[in-house]
Amino acid sequence: MSDFLHLLMCPNCKKTHLKDEKKALVCTSCGSEYPKTGNVAWLFENPKGEIADWQNRYHLFVDMTGLEVQKLKFDSQSPNISGKTKDRLLRLIQAKTEHSREVARILKPMDVKEEDGPKSESLVGGTELPSTQSLMGYYQNVCRDWSYGDQENAICLEKVEEVLKEDKVLRNMGVIGSGACRLAFDIHRKLKPSNTINTDINPYLLLVASRLIQGKSVSLYDFPIAPINLESTAVKLKCKAPEILSENFHYCLADGMNPVFAKQSLDSLLTPWLIDIVPQDLQLQALRYNHCLKDSGRWVNFGSLSFYHNDQKICYSIDEALEIVENSGFKIEAYSHDDIPYLHSPYSCQKRTEKVLTFSARKVESKEPPAEEFTFLPDWLTNTSQPVPRADKLNQQHMVHSMLGNVFSLVDDKNSIEDIAEAATFLKLPKDNAVAVIKNVLTKFFNDHQKGNQF
């Protein structure tokens, strides 16, 4: 693992003094340790906190899957369902149960256990983040990368090769947002860079990729939203890499918004399906990528431009995005903007198309990166020793959750909504008004449950 460590910097002291000590990377300058899960290093300022956070996300996944299986078992016993419907529900029960076990097997190096019981605290405090950053947020991409067939993967590689033109020498290539690593794998296999360093924030994705690329197989289930028939409701997939990569293909868990690549260390940088989904302004991203690349190094981007930020001024069109790249010390040598198939499961009725922006941009000028590291959270959330301010919204949430807890404590299989309203003196409302409030609360719970969401 040590043959590429000179390309990385310590997330704490920012020096390039990392040493491989078998179970961890250690900074010989500041003494910080970065544990390894298998051959995947955790390069975060607070790696133990990140590991604990992802363990909580795993427990949340287990809890939610368990609740889903319980509901399926209950529904399968209904006297009002047909034989085929019962077959489908039983198929889902088996698949969801096996799926949970397989996820536990993949994450076992993180010290998570299949038999870990439900942890209600994960439902309360745990892991409030965008669905794309949940443990299974990109699960279907894993299926696409390693099981759906080679059509989509071949198209992605072809688009990258087109913008590289005749100069396909990549040397030391960093990847930010590698996901399950298929595009990086195909580039490494075909173009043979000296090193490929994959970084992502999600341990499940990198651990799956690591197993497959070492020659091990992984069994996954495809759960299409619109299956083509009953058998396609849950399909067991055998995932396997077409070739083993045993050298110069590396994995690090790291924050892509503050890259761990050292100043002017990389010859090339790949950002696959990244620049539009992260919360950081593309203008700041581009400056950080410039900082990582050597003079004349190349930034290769591949992915859609579907910005969904609340702030409209950073939801860029393709023209703006290309302008930002060139204003950040790059010269765009080639780009394309093409429709490609996306996540075409052979077991689904749905076939989606994405228009992707692929470009190769040469670094022609060094630019200073942003002075401050990027975070979209306030200091009291990133530094857990700081006092939490008593904001008005927090007080409102406290009142709301207290009220909900009191209402739910009156639900006992006996009380009607009117009974609950009469007992709910804490609402300090006339009975008719209390009935309306409680009916709205329980209606929201019912609707969210029907959608499969948490309350």
Side-chain angles (χ1 to χ4, degrees), residues 9 14 256-259 280-292 328 330 366-375:
M9 64 181 180
K14 313 304 180 188
M257 297 300 87
N258 300 292
Q280 185 171 194
D281 188 338
L282 179 58
Q283 295 185 79
L284 301 181
Q285 292 182 59
L287 292 174
R288 296 186 196 279
Y289 304 156
N290 178 292
H291 185 70
C292 299
S328 302
F330 294 95
S366 291
K367 295 281 189 177
E368 284 298 314
E372 299 292 329
E373 291 205 340
F374 176 79
T375 177

Side-chain angles (χ1 to χ4, degrees), residues 1 4-5 7-12 18 25-27 32-36 40-47 50 197-200 251-256 258-261:
M1 193 176 195
F4 73 100
L5 294 182
L7 304 173
L8 302 173
M9 64 181 180
C10 170
N12 283 289
L18 293 175
L25 299 183
V26 178
C27 178
S32 297
E33 294 189 7
Y34 304 101
K36 289 191 290 185
V40 181
W42 293 76
L43 280 178
F44 296 95
E45 287 187 16
N46 178 14
E50 290 292 331
I197 307 100
N198 295 281
T199 65
D200 201 276
Y251 314 88
C252 293
L253 286 156
D255 176 12
N258 300 292
V260 294
F261 299 112

Side-chain angles (χ1 to χ4, degrees), residues 161-177:
E161 287 192 277
E162 284 176 0
V163 298
L164 291 175
K165 296 186 175 181
E166 293 78 19
D167 183 5
K168 295 182 173 63
V169 179
L170 300 173
R171 298 187 179 88
N172 288 317
M173 180 176 76
V175 189
I176 298 178

Side-chain angles (χ1 to χ4, degrees), residues 305-325:
L305 282 183
S306 302
F307 295 96
Y308 290 112
H309 304 306
N310 290 330
D311 186 353
Q312 277 297 310
K313 75 174 181 293
I314 62 172
C315 295
Y316 300 115
S317 66
I318 180 175
D319 309 274
E320 296 168 271
L322 295 174
E323 181 182 51
I324 287 168
V325 172

Side-chain angles (χ1 to χ4, degrees), residues 105-149:
R105 187 169 75 92
I106 295 294
L107 297 179
K108 187 176 180 181
M110 277 177 55
D111 197 30
V112 299
K113 302 176 178 64
E114 176 193 333
E115 64 270 18
D116 281 354
K119 293 181 166 41
S120 58
E121 63 269 22
S122 68
L123 296 173
V124 177
T127 64
E128 182 62 34
L129 42 122
S131 61
T132 56
Q133 295 304 326
S134 65
L135 188 68
M136 295 289 112
Y138 285 97
Y139 177 76
Q140 194 177 357
N141 297 67
V142 181
C143 300
R144 184 273 313 276
D145 283 1
W146 302 107
S147 182
Y148 285 173

